[in-house]
Amino acid sequence: MRERSYCLLVEVLYTALYDDAYPFESLAATIKRVIYPEHLENPNSILVIWGGEDISPSYYKQIPNKFCGAGAHPSKRDVFEADLFKKAIELKIPVIGVCRGAQLACAILGGSLVQHVTNHAGGAHGIATNGGEILITTSAHHQLMVPSANGEVLAVPYNFINNKAEGRSDAYVGENNEFMIIDIEPEVVLYKDVRVLAVQGHPEWMQIETPFVKYILSLSEKL
């Protein structure tokens, strides 16, 4: 089965998902599909890389564990989106990574991933931002960003029962299928020095007036 490209080229915004830039279309004048890194030439733009299957653990120097849905070697989509990401960074074009796109950005920028976590694959949950907001986000992933030192964590899970920010996962599994201990579960990470925003949730699944969507758009406008 041929892999589908998930990136679109935009005059003011670079993005993709089923030929739809929602909700980031509100930041852009026009939207066009990205095919080659050479198409990334307008500095007054944003590249958005969307969600999907796991990326190859080779991007963060690991081998796949038994839960990982990716191979030891990058897929065509991995290579395609990594090339676009690196070109955007080279040209100082801001990047927004959503779910898989966030994890790819985290890996390329020197971070890592927990290859499998529990209690994040479905439904919705609360998050607490470093600005004091409590929001509802979507939850549809089984891997977890571990950002490098230059990644600023802007939001983490929030437990409405205990009324405090805390992790949701009962288990974290690494490359050798071993259980790990993780202190923090990043939901939104900002790499300010290279203008990259990594968003684990899916704002494109929510209504434009939703506080989470407004929060992500406000962050995007500041990139």
Side-chain angles (χ1 to χ4, degrees), residues 3-219:
E3 288 188 322
R4 176 173 181 163
S5 161
Y6 277 66
C7 289
L8 296 177
L9 175 70
V10 182
E11 205 173 320
V12 183
L13 167 72
Y14 291 74
T15 184
L17 183 64
Y18 309 119
D19 301 331
D20 187 359
Y22 175 86
F24 303 106
E25 61 190 1
S26 62
L27 306 177
T30 58
I31 305 168
K32 300 177 185 176
R33 182 176 297 277
V34 167
I35 301 176
Y36 302 108
E38 304 88 79
H39 291 166
L40 298 174
E41 55 186 14
N42 183 356
N44 189 26
S45 8
I46 298 177
L47 172 66
V48 180
I49 300 181
W50 292 98
E53 67 273 13
D54 298 343
I55 65 168
S56 172
S58 62
Y59 280 99
Y60 46 99
K61 299 179 174 58
Q62 291 186 17
I63 61 174
N65 70 17
K66 64 182 181 181
F67 298 101
C68 185
H73 303 289
S75 67
K76 290 181 179 178
R77 180 180 173 185
D78 288 341
V79 173
F80 169 71
E81 292 181 341
D83 286 347
L84 287 172
F85 181 88
K86 293 173 183 177
K87 186 66 174 180
I89 297 300
E90 176 188 331
L91 297 176
K92 296 181 171 53
I93 292 173
V95 181
I96 301 169
V98 174
C99 195
R100 166 195 159 94
Q103 295 169 358
L104 179 67
C106 180
I108 292 177
L109 293 175
S112 184
L113 300 180
V114 177
Q115 291 196 36
H116 182 68
V117 296
T118 56
N119 298 330
H120 279 278
H125 68 270
I127 61 170
T129 75
N130 62 357
E133 296 178 272
I134 307 300
L135 309 172
I136 299 291
T137 185
T138 61
S139 191
H141 59 98
H142 79 108
Q143 297 193 327
L144 182 71
M145 294 185 289
V146 182
S148 56
N150 60 332
E152 179 187 1
V153 177
L154 301 184
V156 297
Y158 184 83
N159 187 326
F160 285 103
I161 296 176
N162 297 330
N163 290 319
K164 65 178 182 179
E166 62 180 14
R168 288 174 54 83
S169 297
D170 296 324
Y172 310 86
V173 187
E175 66 176 323
N176 296 316
N177 302 305
E178 80 282 12
F179 290 102
M180 308 167 61
I181 296 175
I182 300 296
D183 294 328
I184 191 169
E185 296 183 5
E187 292 283 348
V188 181
V189 178
L190 175 65
Y191 292 87
K192 193 172 184 178
D193 55 337
V194 287
R195 303 170 72 193
V196 172
L197 182 66
V199 181
Q200 188 58 74
H202 289 266
E204 76 278 12
W205 294 354
M206 305 176 78
Q207 296 296 320
I208 193 71
E209 65 274 7
T210 306
F212 176 69
V213 175
K214 291 182 177 179
Y215 170 67
I216 297 302
L217 289 176
S218 69
L219 294 174

